[in-house]
Amino acid sequence: MKLTVPAGRYVVAVSGGVDSMALLDLLRKQPDIQLTVAHFEHGIREDSDQDRQLVQKTARSHGLPFVYSRGNLGAGASEDTARKHRYEFLHKVRMAATAQAIITAHHQDDMLETAIINLLRGTGRKGLSSLSSDDLILRPLLGYTKSQIQAYADGHNLQWHEDSTNQNEKYLRNYVRLKILNRFDDAQRQQLLEHLDVAKELNQELESLLATQLHIQPAVNKIDRHWFIGLPHSVAKEVLASWLRQHKLVFDKKTLERLVVAAKTYQPHKQADISSKAVMEVKKDYLALIGLDR
C-alpha cells in the first residue's frame, strides 16, 4: 500500500481500530509530514479506554504528539451524534496544532456503505459522493478495500483494538455492511463504484454550473426572483441549496422545500426563517439573505 499525501502538518484521526492504526503506520513513514495523533473517546462503550491507551502508547512509541478528549455520550448515542462530536474535536485540534488538514482512515468499503446509507435516507445527488477528500479533510485510503488494509496490518504485525459494537446491527452502518454490502460480489462492487464515479463527475459539473448562475445574480446575497420563479421546482431546490451553502447556512430537506415555495409564492416584503442566524426576505424582484443578530 502507498499513500499520496502532500508535505505539511496534519492531524491524523486514530480510533484504535485496524483501519486507523494502519493509516498511522503508513503516514509515519511519509517524508516531510508532521503529525499530531488525535483520539476521540466517545464514552459509548465501557471498554473504550482500551482504545485510547493503545493509540496513546503507539503515538509515543513513534515520538508523535497525542491529543485526546472524552465525550461521555453514553450507550444510547446515535452514529450522527458521535460523528458530530468527533469532528468538532478534530477541527479544534487542527486549529490548535495549526495543521492544514485532518486525515481520516475512511476506505473504499466506507465510501460504498455511505452511498447506500444516503440513498436509504434520501439525501439526494450529493449523498452519492459525500465521502471524499476536500481542503480540510483528506481520506487517502479511499482507493483501498477493507481487506487490503487488514492484510497490511497483519503483514506489518500492527496492534489494534476491535470495536465491540461493530457487529451490532442496531447501527445502520453495521446493518448495511453486514446485510447488504457483504452480499455483493466483486463485479457488483465494481459496478457500484463506477456508478459513484459517474455521480461524482456529474455533481462537479452541476456545482460549477450552479456557481456560475449564482455569480451572475444581482449580488452575493440576492437572487433574481423572476428568474427563480421560472425554474422547474427540482432545479430551484438545487439553486437555493447551493446559495445557502455558499453562505455557510445549515438546512434540512423540509426547510429547503419550505423556502423554495416561499420564494415563489410569498407576497413582497415577507420573510421566511432559515435558521436562528438568517432569514430569506422576499421582494418583488429579488430574494435576499439577511443575517440576524441573536
Side-chain angles (χ1 to χ4, degrees), residues 15-16 39-57 66 68-70 161:
S15 67
H39 174 80
F40 185 71
E41 193 174 339
H42 296 96
I44 294 175
R45 296 180 286 111
E46 292 183 1
D47 62 349
S48 61
D49 62 318
Q50 297 178 27
D51 302 346
R52 190 259 308 161
Q53 291 169 9
L54 173 61
V55 177
Q56 187 172 16
K57 175 185 175 183
F66 171 77
Y68 84 97
S69 179
R70 183 176 175 86
H161 190 254

Side-chain angles (χ1 to χ4, degrees), residues 63-80:
L64 298 173
F66 171 77
V67 183
Y68 84 97
S69 179
R70 183 176 175 86
N72 296 314
L73 302 182
S78 68
E79 293 174 87
D80 289 339

Side-chain angles (χ1 to χ4, degrees), residues 98-197:
T98 62
Q100 60 202 62
I102 298 162
I103 304 180
T104 73
H106 292 106
H107 48 74
Q108 190 180 97
D109 293 54
D110 291 322
M111 182 171 62
L112 295 176
E113 290 165 13
T114 299
I116 293 170
I117 289 169
N118 287 340
L119 278 173
L120 293 172
R121 289 176 170 171
T123 57
R125 64 176 179 85
K126 291 183 74 67
L128 293 177
S129 55
S130 60
L131 195 59
S132 58
S133 293
D134 57 36
D135 291 340
L136 294 180
I137 301 178
L138 303 184
R139 297 182 169 105
L141 294 179
L142 288 179
Y144 294 100
T145 65
K146 175 76 172 186
S147 60
Q148 288 174 309
I149 295 169
Q150 182 73 56
Y152 175 88
D154 291 336
H156 289 76
N157 298 313
L158 300 184
Q159 287 185 295
W160 66 87
H161 190 254
E162 193 67 34
D163 187 336
S164 57
T165 66
N166 279 347
Q167 302 302 312
N168 189 338
E169 294 178 11
K170 81 171 185 177
Y171 296 108
L172 180 57
R173 182 169 295 277
N174 291 347
Y175 181 86
V176 168
R177 183 181 69 252
L178 298 171
K179 297 296 186 181
I180 299 177
L181 193 58
N182 278 357
R183 296 176 182 267
F184 286 15
D185 59 28
D186 290 344
Q188 290 170 327
R189 281 178 62 101
Q190 185 57 39
Q191 189 175 35
L192 181 54
L193 284 170
E194 290 172 1
H195 290 326
L196 296 183
D197 283 342

Side-chain angles (χ1 to χ4, degrees), residues 17 48 53 205-206 249 279 285:
S48 61
Q53 291 169 9
E205 292 177 12
L206 285 169
L249 294 172
V279 297
D285 298 320

Side-chain angles (χ1 to χ4, degrees), residues 184-225:
F184 286 15
D185 59 28
D186 290 344
Q188 290 170 327
R189 281 178 62 101
Q190 185 57 39
Q191 189 175 35
L192 181 54
L193 284 170
E194 290 172 1
H195 290 326
L196 296 183
D197 283 342
V198 171
K200 183 177 180 180
E201 290 181 13
L202 288 174
N203 278 337
Q204 290 172 341
E205 292 177 12
L206 285 169
E207 291 302 324
S208 178
L209 290 170
L210 289 168
T212 299
Q213 289 300 314
L214 290 175
H215 181 70
I216 62 176
Q217 294 305 308
V220 173
N221 67 328
K222 292 182 180 180
I223 287 181
D224 182 321
R225 190 184 182 198

